[in-house]
Every structure is written in structure tokens, then in C-alpha cells.
Amino acid sequence: MSAMYEVITSKTSVSQLNGVGEKTAEKLHALGIHDVNDVVFHLPTGYVNQSVVDLREAAHESSITVEGTVVTEPKLAFFRRGMSRLTCFMDINGIHTKVVFFNQPYLKEKLIINEFARLYGKFNKNKLEINGQKLIYDTSPGYTVRYSLNKTMHAKTFSKFVREVFENYDFNHDLPETIKKKYQLIPLREALYRLHFPADPDSLHQSRRTVKFYELYQFQLKLMHKRQKERVRNEHYIIDYDIEALKHFTRTLPFELTGDQKTSVNDICRDFKQNVSMHRLLQGDVGSGKTIVAGICVYAVKTIGEQSVVMVPTEVLANQHYESFKETFKEELTIEKLTGTTSKKEKSRILEDLAMGNIDLLIGTHALIEDDVVFNRLSFIIIDEQHRFGVNQRQKLQKKSYRKNILYMTATPIPRTLSITTFGDMDVSIIREMPKGRKPVITSWHTFDELDYVMGEVKAALNAEHSTYVVAPLIEESETLDLKNVNEIYQTFISAFGEDTVELVHGRMKPEEKNSGMELFETLKKKVLISTTVIEVGINVPNATMMVIFNAERFGLSTLHQLRGRVGRSDKQSYCLLVSQPQTDNAKLRMEIMTSTSDGFELSERDLEMRGPGDFFGVRQSGLPQFKVADLTEDYRMLEYARKEAVSVFEQMGGV
């Protein structure tokens, strides 16, 4: 268990609790419950309020507990494969109410005419009918709790173990008194006790607030400690670059930096001059110019004769960065590329130049972390889309550094909540402005009935000598989902525009086939590229002004925005056509959001709301905390307050 959930100093094993024999201990271990702290934090997953309500005051469709007298003989009927319906009428608060229990035929013997009964169920006010879920035999008021126990034991049995821990062990951890008073929180021990043994809705709400704040506060303190550990003070970390040479270099660039780009360059260069290792995240929407910022800072490192590296997750992205850096910085930087497909002869030459210090910037994939890649003086590490790398991969590259200065870049706009939580140990620079001359991409949503219109728009783009991306969600036909697959779409476009115009690329192709197909599109030899989301990142074709996404409802907002970011990379007006027949309200909402804004940061907030933090990056983010009570989507304001308090306390403790 994480240290933030160790509120009892004693880590007594659950096997020491009364009634926990060898078999019960094994069952608890299987649930992840090993010591008394685990018992306390194995919190209820739900509550049933057994407090009886007046039926006349109950809301339609609400789950309620009622009591009354059975006034008709229960009738049991079986239908469809042994399913059953048990029906009777009760007098509840003087109201003749129908009660129905599905698939609980044994309750016929428990519902006795003219006798008292208490039950819990869902109330249909329009029909004066209760869909009964269970009879309640314990007539005490208050709540019954539900635990996730995988049917290994009854909730009452587990509650006995919980009660014993609260009675026999001292709780040694709590929030500072000043924080509890400021935010009207209760002692942590009391809050945890009330979550296990709730008395009323108000105390339950207050207890949840307290435990949420404790979790978020403790996690932020943990990030502060991690930040301090990363930022060891050492004069060796200072990159005393030639500021005049850098200013001259920046003035020679054939474009003017945006305000956000200038601010980001200043942030990074300020880090270079400090005696603390850099640990910074550069966030910028697709096409916002992060590469320019990184390149200027690479030049700063070059002025003292030291080296930089860019590590990216895919070969396609490595190629894009290499071409982009070469085009922008031409002869000012000596740049090389190293990937898994680099020939032995070429690799040997690159490694020799690297070790001699003849390379200013090396761009590559995981190939960079191999043991034979040795730098002369590596002082600036840039990791792009860092959430796609494992911790060990990032650390392997860091161990090659002469001065430890790390810049993480991402084109995935990250909601403030996740930025604080996942990257809270980093400084953050954000590029919101787009380069001058860029026009927002016009996005529209069309059904499959409007396919002729979509094909007409593609034809118009081709007539203007512009290129088009076409994205499909699947490679092959699906028997269960009515989706357009990439091969079917490819044939449709071949029929319309011919083989000389259309190219196909997908993830199951061999790397050389995929790279060849993309090269044909990048060099404008083919004007239409049919693909899966393999082109989400890593391809830069300013001539492309049209993005068509089939079955767009199958993608999250973040992915749709990344795909849309492949166009609109020049001064030409660009378009994104979403072809979708959404079947759910959630899917329709995504289409409406996509057509209403092109702001990646606004979209990221909506994406977080809809998908939840765990799946925000498309894969479960390994560094993302799994809280017991707090919810990053709902509790973002509390997270900011908790962070503020954690930073204040940490600074008082002498932290950096």
C-alpha cells in the first residue's frame, strides 16, 4: 500500500485480528488486504439507506426504503428460461401500492398477508409501483454498507474486522489543524470511521470531503518530495550559454516567434542558468511551434559545445522531427537521426561522430537508449509524448547525460487537473497561440447518407491541387460492429479517384511499407492517404487541407483533435469532415463539441469529463494515482486547494 494510506504506524497483519484464521487471511490477501491499514482503507463501494421514507414524499425513480402491511396474497409467475416475477400489494402510508420482485421466488414465503414488511426498491411514482430489490429484516434505522469482497465473505463479517481495528489501534496521521479548520474538515480517524459506519447523509458527505482532501493533499506532498529529489542542487547543472550568440541566432530566423514561444524559450533558458536540474513540461497544441522552441534551446546548448537529444515514440515521428529541425535550422545545427531501421554502416558513422562531439542534436526512437550510443557531453534531453515511454526507458536515456536537464514535450493538451496531478513535480510552459497566418480548421459533421457530399469536397480539394487524409477505425470488416473498414474505404476512393491518386497505410503493414506509403503522400506523389490512426502523430504535409474521419464516434475527443491537427498547417483554409452515425447521446455530444471549438485545451477538459482520467491518454497512464475516494474529474477544485496547502507546508519544511 502507498505510504499515503498508512494512517496507523503499526502494520499489524490481518492474521492477528480476532476471527481471522489461515483461510480468511488468504481471502483477505486476495483482495489486497494485508495489514490493518489495508482494512481501514478497504472502503464501502455503496450504501443502502434503511431509513424509512414517507411514500407521499418520495421522488419518481428514486431508490427508497418503505414499510407497510401486505394486503394481497403474493403471486408467483415464471417466464422465459426460469425467470420469475413475484407480485403483491401493500398498504404503505395508506397508499395501495403494487410491489414486484424479479427472480426472487423464495420471497413468496416471507411476504405474508396482513403482516408487516420493510423493503428496499425503486419507486415508479406514475404507476404507484415499487420494483423491490430486497426485504430488510434488520429494522434498525441508518445505512447498510456494500463492500467489494468478491463473494469471499459477508459484509457483516468484514465490518467486524474494521470495528476491531478502530477499537484497538491508534491513528497516528491526520491533516494539520489549520487546514481542517480552514476547510471545515473533521479528524481523519472520525471521517474513516463514519465511511464504514455511516449515521446520516450529512456526516457521510463531510467524511467523504475530509478523506478526499487528505488523499489529494498527501499526493501533492509526495510530488513535492519527488520534485526535491529530482532537483538536486549542483553548480555542475548550470549551462552558461552565450546569450549574445543566441539572440543573434534568433534574429536570423525567417519568422517571428509568438508571445508564448518567446515565454517558453525564456523559461527553458532561465532553467539552464540555474544550479538545479531542469524538469520542465512544454505543452502545445498540434502545430503551435514546440519544435522551434526546442531548437532555439538546442542552439543555446551548442554555444558551449555540448549536445542535445530528442527521443520520440515512433519512427514516423522521428522522421518528422528530423525533417522539421533540418528545414528550420539548416546549417546552424549539426543534426543526425538514429532509429531501428538505420543501417549498420550509417549507425557506425553516427556513433563515431556522436562520441567525438561532432553532432549537436541527435533525434531518435528507443534506439537511443542502447548501450553503444555514447554521447560526448549530453546536457539537454528532450522527450516527446513522454507518456508513451516507460519509466525505465526514460531513466536509461537520463543516465547518459553529462548535465541533467530534461524537457518533456506533448502535443496532447492536458487538462489543468491532470497536469497538476500527473506532472505536478515539473515546471510547466504552455504554448496556446498558433503561428501567424494559420487559420482555424473548419469542422463539420455528416452522416453516411451525405457521403456524396463528402466525396465532392475531397474532389474539390484535389482540383485545387491540395492533399487529403482519410481515416478509418478498423483494418478489417467487423461481424459485430457496423463500421467502415480501411480496405473498404480504400476501394471506394480508388473507384472515385484512381490508383495514381490514392495510397493506403495501416498499422499491420511492415515498417518499410508504411514508410514508403507515407513518403508518397509527403512528397505529393499521391494526394489522398487512406489510413488508420497511425497518422495521429508524426506526419507533416502542409499541402493537406482536408481531413475525413469515418465512424468518428469511435474516437475520443483527444484523438479526433490530434487527427484534425494534421491539417491546417499552412496559410490555406483547411477542413475536417466527421462522417458519423452516432447511436448514443455521448457519441452525439462528442460530434457537437468537435464542431464547436478548435481549442485543444478546452477539448481536453471536456474529454477528461467524458472519459475519466485513467483513459485520457488512450492507454492507462502508469503514473496516475488511483484514489480511494477522490475523483480527479469531479474534485479538480479541491485538488488545486490541496496543492496550494501542500506547497505551503513543504516550503515551511525547507523544501524547494
Side-chain angles (χ1 to χ4, degrees):
M1 172 176 279
S2 167
M4 61 192 278
Y5 293 112
E6 291 175 1
V7 293
I8 302 170
T9 301
S10 167
K11 294 184 183 178
T12 304
S13 169
V14 287
S15 60
Q16 301 299 308
L17 298 175
N18 290 324
V20 179
E22 189 176 333
K23 286 186 177 180
T24 303
E26 286 177 5
K27 291 176 181 178
L28 290 169
H29 292 165
L31 295 167
I33 302 170
H34 300 277
D35 63 35
V36 289
N37 281 290
D38 297 326
V39 172
V40 168
F41 276 100
H42 194 77
L43 298 169
T45 55
Y47 302 89
V48 176
N49 188 348
Q50 289 191 176
S51 300
V52 175
V53 301
D54 188 326
L55 198 61
R56 287 166 296 204
E57 297 174 3
H60 178 60
E61 295 290 313
S62 60
S63 294
I64 56 174
T65 299
V66 293
E67 59 185 21
T69 304
V70 179
V71 293
T72 65
E73 190 72 37
K75 293 181 179 179
L76 180 61
F78 288 92
F79 59 97
R80 286 209 316 272
R81 298 179 185 175
M83 298 176 73
S84 68
R85 182 193 297 111
L86 181 64
T87 310
C88 71
F89 281 86
M90 289 179 62
D91 182 337
I92 302 173
N93 304 125
I95 301 170
H96 196 64
T97 309
K98 185 178 181 180
V99 176
V100 180
F101 285 95
F102 287 97
N103 302 319
Q104 298 184 68
Y106 51 87
L107 292 181
K108 188 175 190 301
E109 308 302 322
K110 308 288 185 181
L111 291 164
I112 302 169
I113 192 167
N114 296 326
E115 291 203 6
F116 170 87
R118 176 182 285 188
L119 63 94
Y120 176 80
K122 196 168 188 177
F123 179 44
N124 186 319
K125 195 165 189 172
N126 301 330
K127 294 182 178 180
L128 274 182
E129 180 177 308
I130 296 175
N131 185 347
Q133 293 173 23
K134 68 174 187 174
L135 285 179
I136 299 174
Y137 306 106
D138 175 9
T139 57
S140 60
Y143 290 89
T144 57
V145 297
R146 297 194 194 106
Y147 289 100
S148 175
L149 298 168
N150 291 345
K151 300 182 180 179
T152 56
M153 65 187 72
H154 291 296
K156 281 189 177 180
T157 303
F158 183 71
S159 287
K160 289 177 184 176
F161 304 145
V162 176
R163 195 176 292 278
E164 183 182 341
V165 173
F166 276 99
E167 289 174 353
N168 296 335
Y169 292 88
D170 293 327
F171 284 64
N172 314 101
H173 296 268
D174 201 352
L175 287 162
E177 291 298 324
T178 52
I179 291 178
K180 285 190 290 188
K181 186 175 180 180
K182 185 175 180 178
Y183 297 100
Q184 298 181 317
L185 305 173
I186 60 177
L188 183 61
R189 182 192 184 281
E190 184 182 343
L192 288 166
Y193 183 85
R194 289 183 183 180
L195 289 182
H196 285 285
F197 306 105
D200 57 73
D202 289 341
S203 69
L204 191 57
H205 174 71
Q206 190 180 31
S207 299
R208 286 181 64 82
R209 277 189 71 244
T210 298
V211 176
K212 281 180 181 182
F213 199 100
Y214 175 79
E215 287 185 292
L216 297 171
Y217 172 79
Q218 286 293 330
F219 183 72
Q220 290 302 317
L221 276 182
K222 182 179 171 184
L223 282 181
M224 295 298 110
H225 284 289
K226 184 183 175 188
R227 179 187 175 97
Q228 186 176 47
K229 188 178 177 182
E230 291 279 354
R231 299 179 183 218
V232 180
R233 291 191 180 278
N234 191 321
E235 297 296 323
H236 174 70
Y237 291 129
I238 296 174
I239 296 178
D240 194 14
Y241 64 90
D242 185 333
I243 191 166
E244 292 306 319
L246 184 63
K247 283 181 179 177
H248 174 73
F249 168 70
T250 306
R251 284 196 294 267
T252 64
L253 293 173
F255 44 77
E256 185 182 348
L257 298 180
T258 65
D260 285 348
Q261 284 177 319
K262 290 175 183 175
T263 300
S264 298
V265 169
N266 290 337
D267 288 344
I268 297 165
C269 288
R270 196 181 308 115
D271 288 349
F272 282 160
K273 292 281 190 179
Q274 294 182 1
N275 63 346
V276 181
S277 57
M278 180 201 298
H279 205 52
R280 182 172 291 277
L281 173 70
L282 178 61
Q283 274 186 260
D285 216 335
V286 174
S288 61
K290 297 182 298 301
T291 302
I292 305 300
V293 170
I296 292 170
C297 298
V298 167
Y299 187 85
V301 175
K302 178 191 174 169
T303 65
I304 61 166
E306 294 180 358
Q307 296 170 306
S308 303
V309 67
V310 176
M311 185 166 76
V312 298
T314 66
E315 183 154 350
V316 172
L317 193 52
N319 292 336
Q320 179 196 324
H321 272 316
Y322 178 71
E323 295 299 334
S324 179
F325 274 105
K326 290 283 281 187
E327 181 185 345
T328 304
F329 301 104
K330 297 182 172 62
E331 305 305 318
E332 298 289 349
L333 294 171
T334 304
I335 305 170
E336 294 288 356
K337 178 182 64 173
L338 185 64
T339 69
T341 60
T342 304
S343 69
K344 282 187 178 181
K345 184 179 178 181
E346 182 72 356
K347 181 177 179 181
S348 179
R349 180 191 66 77
I350 290 171
L351 294 185
E352 185 178 340
D353 281 345
L354 190 68
M356 293 288 290
N358 297 331
I359 295 173
D360 300 320
L361 173 63
L362 182 61
I363 298 168
T365 57
H366 305 78
L368 296 171
I369 66 177
E370 292 174 5
D371 293 338
D372 59 351
V373 180
V374 179
F375 292 83
N376 183 279
R377 282 193 170 187
L378 175 59
S379 296
F380 185 31
I381 294 173
I382 303 164
I383 300 179
D384 198 15
E385 299 299 339
Q386 65 99 24
H387 57 273
R388 297 190 181 203
F389 292 101
V391 174
N392 292 337
Q393 291 171 326
R394 299 198 300 264
Q395 287 178 345
K396 266 191 171 183
L397 185 60
Q398 291 170 30
K399 285 177 182 176
K400 296 175 184 282
S401 63
Y402 174 69
R403 305 184 200 276
K404 188 180 175 186
N405 291 287
I406 306 163
L407 178 70
Y408 300 97
M409 296 199 307
T410 180
T412 305
I414 301 166
R416 178 168 170 75
T417 312
L418 280 190
S419 184
I420 289 174
T421 308
T422 314
F423 305 107
D425 57 326
M426 301 182 195
D427 292 312
V428 179
S429 297
I430 298 177
I431 304 177
R432 289 181 180 272
E433 296 174 80
M434 298 302 280
K436 288 181 180 177
R438 295 281 178 90
K439 298 174 182 176
V441 178
I442 296 173
T443 306
S444 55
W445 165 27
H446 308 274
T447 65
F448 283 101
D449 293 337
E450 300 170 279
L451 195 53
D452 286 345
Y453 170 81
V454 172
M455 298 299 280
E457 291 295 288
V458 173
K459 185 176 182 181
L462 291 172
N463 289 341
E465 294 295 318
H466 296 169
S467 303
T468 295
Y469 293 97
V470 181
V471 176
L474 295 175
I475 296 173
E476 295 161 353
E477 286 187 57
S478 168
E479 293 180 5
T480 56
L481 297 170
D482 182 21
L483 301 174
K484 296 287 181 184
N485 72 82
V486 73
N487 291 312
E488 181 185 342
I489 290 170
Y490 177 57
Q491 293 303 324
T492 300
F493 276 77
I494 285 282
S495 299
F497 305 114
E499 290 187 6
D500 292 341
T501 303
V502 185
E503 185 59 30
L504 173 65
V505 167
H506 58 71
R508 289 192 190 169
M509 285 180 165
K510 293 176 181 177
E512 54 269 25
E513 293 176 326
K514 199 187 326 179
N515 292 336
S516 172
M518 287 190 176
E519 188 179 342
L520 287 171
F521 186 66
E522 288 178 293
T523 55
L524 309 185
K525 290 174 184 173
K526 297 282 186 86
K527 290 288 182 63
V528 177
L529 181 67
I530 313 289
S531 76
T532 53
T533 53
V534 69
I535 54 91
E536 181 182 346
V537 293
I539 197 167
N540 183 29
V541 180
N543 189 61
T545 62
M546 180 72 66
M547 167 65 70
V548 181
I549 306 173
F550 281 91
N551 292 108
E553 77 281 357
R554 297 290 297 173
F555 303 109
L557 286 173
S558 181
T559 299
L560 288 171
H561 184 61
Q562 289 289 320
L563 291 170
R564 177 167 61 184
R566 295 300 103 204
V567 296
R569 302 175 80 86
S570 68
D571 58 357
K572 304 182 183 87
Q573 180 61 62
S574 293
Y575 304 86
C576 178
L577 307 184
L578 307 173
V579 184
S580 173
Q581 211 92 36
Q583 301 298 310
T584 66
D585 290 341
N586 190 289
K588 288 175 186 173
L589 181 59
R590 285 204 302 281
M591 298 304 101
E592 289 165 3
I593 293 170
M594 280 298 296
T595 53
S596 66
T597 182
S598 57
D599 184 325
F601 288 92
E602 182 183 341
L603 278 169
S604 74
E605 296 289 349
R606 301 296 298 272
D607 204 16
L608 178 63
E609 290 172 16
M610 296 176 73
R611 295 168 63 195
D615 295 317
F616 180 79
F617 290 111
V619 292
R620 189 156 285 277
Q621 170 73 1
S622 58
L624 206 60
Q626 298 296 305
F627 295 118
K628 304 285 184 180
V629 182
D631 182 314
L632 291 178
T633 309
E634 295 178 359
D635 303 318
Y636 65 95
R637 292 194 185 280
M638 186 182 284
L639 172 65
E640 295 192 1
Y641 287 124
R643 177 172 174 77
K644 180 182 173 184
E645 299 299 337
V647 169
S648 175
V649 168
F650 196 72
E651 287 175 349
Q652 290 169 22
M653 293 162 55
V656 294

